[in-house]
Structure formats: structure tokens, C-alpha cells
Amino acid sequence: MDHNEPDGLSAAQLAAVRRSLTNGRGALTRRSMLRATGVGALTVGGIGALSSCGIPPAKREGEAASDDHSAKEKQVAFSNWTEYMDVSEDEKSRPTLTEFTRRTGIKVKYTEDINDNVEFFGKIQPQLAAGQETGRDLICVTDWLASRMIRLGWVQKLDPALLPHAYANLSAQFRSPDWDPGRSFSYPWTGISTVIAYNTKATGGKKVDSVTQLLDDPSLKGRVGFLTEMRDTVGMTLLDIGKDPAKFTDADYDGAIGRLQKGVDKKQIRRFTGNDYTSDLDKGDLAACLAWAGDVIQLQADNPAIQYAIPAPGYITSSDNLLVPAQARHQRNATRLIDYYYELPVAAQLAAYINYVCPVEGVGAELAKIDPELASNTLILPDKAMAAKSHSFRSLTSAEEKAYEEKFAKLIGA
């Protein structure tokens, strides 16, 4: 891809931003629901950063570097999303971070200052573009933004010698995204999966396990929901029509849009939703829909009629990722912190608290010591069969994203 590709947002892309903020993943709080993996908050800083055209890369991919002060300065500054870290029962400490400091002597300045990908990028983009420190040694951003930052040369390459646990324990389904093959610049913090959810009371006990069924089953007519997040809805439909979301063409994309359009025209689809599908599914107004796995876990806790299915062709998974920004002062310390969270007991403690897909292979036995029910939940720890069905939506050029969002906006009436 062109390192100087323009980042201007079209009207359709801006509309996607607003959808994500108001009722999409960007509007959701952690632990109870999932938040934005596409685009984020409609803020002056965030939109300004992504609307500027032709952002010049600080350096070519793989060349970002800085003087490392880790040996003399036993500290690391870590920016993360809210409620994305374990907390003690009295809510006065973060046990895994406390243990990291006790073991290594490295103090962690942990800041929950990421509310949304676009907004956060707006905070750090001016410094990165100018080749300056951001004041952060480790950040956690969603795959599409991680991809952009790597392309622009604004991320430091990780030292594999400092990542023995991460390299050994990274789950196969997260090992080689197209935007960072072999994980040279990033490691996943969590995975976010899109599945089919249904209410057995509303379906009369019928299982719903395919996009084809959502679009064609007459008993579901007018009670089906798809998501307003393009990558989720189109990605799941691409899989259903036999296309790979990691390799699809323009014609494949148009085929998926056409398939969904038929569902709109014959009123099979009730509506396209953000996170507000949860209440409709819970009440049975929606019999079945595309859903985010974190929502399903929460809904099932209160409503045993809520079930989920993984379609035979597979499902879409995105990820939040740990990156070391260019010019970070403490690259070695940050890399050691990444590796620490791939130690099995530590990964289990984190997964038990946040309930997202854990990207650490072999953590089941440790998680079972904490909570056997969580350890058996394949929405948190996918088994081999489920992991094999996981697919990622491929990276898009700016031109593709603009064209695709315009077609999707027309489909959903945005």
C-alpha cells in the first residue's frame, strides 16, 4: 500500500463515525458490551487528524526508532481503554500491574485515556508526524488503526528476544494479520468476535446458525437484525457466499451488498443496528441477528433464551493491539510488559476480569483455577474448531474504504 495514501473522510465515512459513536461499538462501555473497532468518536481533534490528506510518514515502515532509556529509567507509560485491566476487589489497585512492578522494579504509569480510536489518534498524531515523543511507551488500538500507524512508520519494531512468552503462547488465529505479518510491530491484547445470536422463545426453539438462514428463513421475516458496522455485516456475508474476507475483490464486495439488499427489499431484515440490538433481542422483537460476543455473554447471564451460533463458513474477528509508538523513551520496558501479559497465569487473571477473547494459547488450565465456567466458554477461549473458523476483514486502501462505506451507507439507508 502507498505510505502517502490520503486519509480524507468522505460523507459516508463520517456517517459511519457518527453511527459508531451514537449507537455502535464506539458508544459501548467495557465489560458489559464491546466498543468500536471501526471508526470512532466525532471530535474536532479526532476527525481533524483523519480528515487531513496526505499525512507524510515520519519514516518508511520498520524504520521508526528512538533512544531507549529503559536501563536508567525504570518506568513505562501505558495508555489503554477504560475497564480493560484487572482491578482489586477494593478497587484501589491493579493486581497484575502491581506484580509486574514487584518482579521487575519497573513502575507502570497506567492511564485510561483511550475512549475511541479516532479521538485517541487525534491526540498523538501531531507528535508522531513531527517525530516527537507522545509521552506514551505502550498503547492499545484496534487493528485498522494499528495498520495505519505501521504503514506511516509511527511504530517501533519489537525485539523478539524480549518476547519469549508472547512468541510461544500467541494463539494461531492472531499470529499473522495482513497488516503485520509475523507480528513484528504488535501483539494482540484481546480479540473481538462477531457471531449469530438468537432468542429461542422468539424462534420457537429453532436454532439459527447461518447468514443464509437470517436472510431467507420465512419464519424470521421482519425479525432479523444486521449491524451498522460495515466490516462485521459485509464480512459475515462474504463468508456466507463463499468468499474470503481476507482476500475479496470489488466484485465480491458488490455481491455481498447485493445479497443483503435482497434482504432489505423483501423486508426480511427488520433493521441495521448498533449496540441497541441487545434490548430488542432480549425482548424477542428481534428473533435473530448478528451480535458481538461480549454482548452475548452478558445477555446470557440474565436470559437463558439467548443462544449463539458460529456459522459453518466461519465468523469475523478483529483485535485490539499493543504497540510501541515511535520515539517512545522506554521501548525495552514496554516490550517486557507485553511479554508479561503472555505468561499463562497473568493472561488468565486478565481474561477472568475483562471477559474478552483471550489471544493466549494454553491459558485454559490457569483460568479454570479462577473460574471454571469462564474457562469453558468458547467466546472467551475459542477451542481449536472455533479458532479455525475465525477470519479477519482485510486491510483497505483509502480509496476502497471510501467506496465501500458509500455502498454500505446506501444499503442501510444512512
Side-chain angles (χ1 to χ4, degrees), residues 10 12-13 15-17 19-20 24-25 36-39 144 194 226-239 245 248-249 252-254 256-257 260 272-274 290 292 316 318 392-412 414:
S10 67
Q13 288 172 293
V17 169
R19 289 197 304 273
S20 185
R25 294 185 191 176
T37 64
V39 287
W144 70 268
T194 304
F226 281 78
L227 295 166
T228 55
E229 299 284 354
M230 182 267 287
R231 287 169 176 80
D232 295 308
T233 287
V234 175
M236 293 290 281
T237 306
L238 283 167
L239 286 168
F248 67 90
T249 64
D252 296 334
Y253 184 90
D254 289 345
I257 291 291
L260 290 161
F272 292 85
T273 73
L290 293 188
W292 295 310
I316 294 292
S318 56
S392 297
F393 196 94
R394 70 170 173 82
S395 299
L396 302 178
T397 64
S398 293
E400 285 178 325
E401 176 136 15
K402 180 179 179 181
Y404 292 170
E405 284 289 4
E406 287 176 352
K407 291 176 181 179
F408 188 69
K410 183 178 180 180
L411 168 73
I412 67 175

Side-chain angles (χ1 to χ4, degrees), residues 279-293:
S279 60
D280 285 350
L281 181 65
D282 189 48
K283 292 184 295 184
D285 292 341
L286 283 177
C289 60
L290 293 188
W292 295 310

Side-chain angles (χ1 to χ4, degrees), residues 327-343:
Q327 307 305 321
R329 287 181 62 87
H330 311 105
Q331 181 187 19
R332 184 182 179 88
N333 292 345
T335 308
R336 291 182 67 184
L337 185 57
I338 293 173
D339 192 65
Y340 169 74
Y341 278 100
Y342 276 78
E343 295 181 15

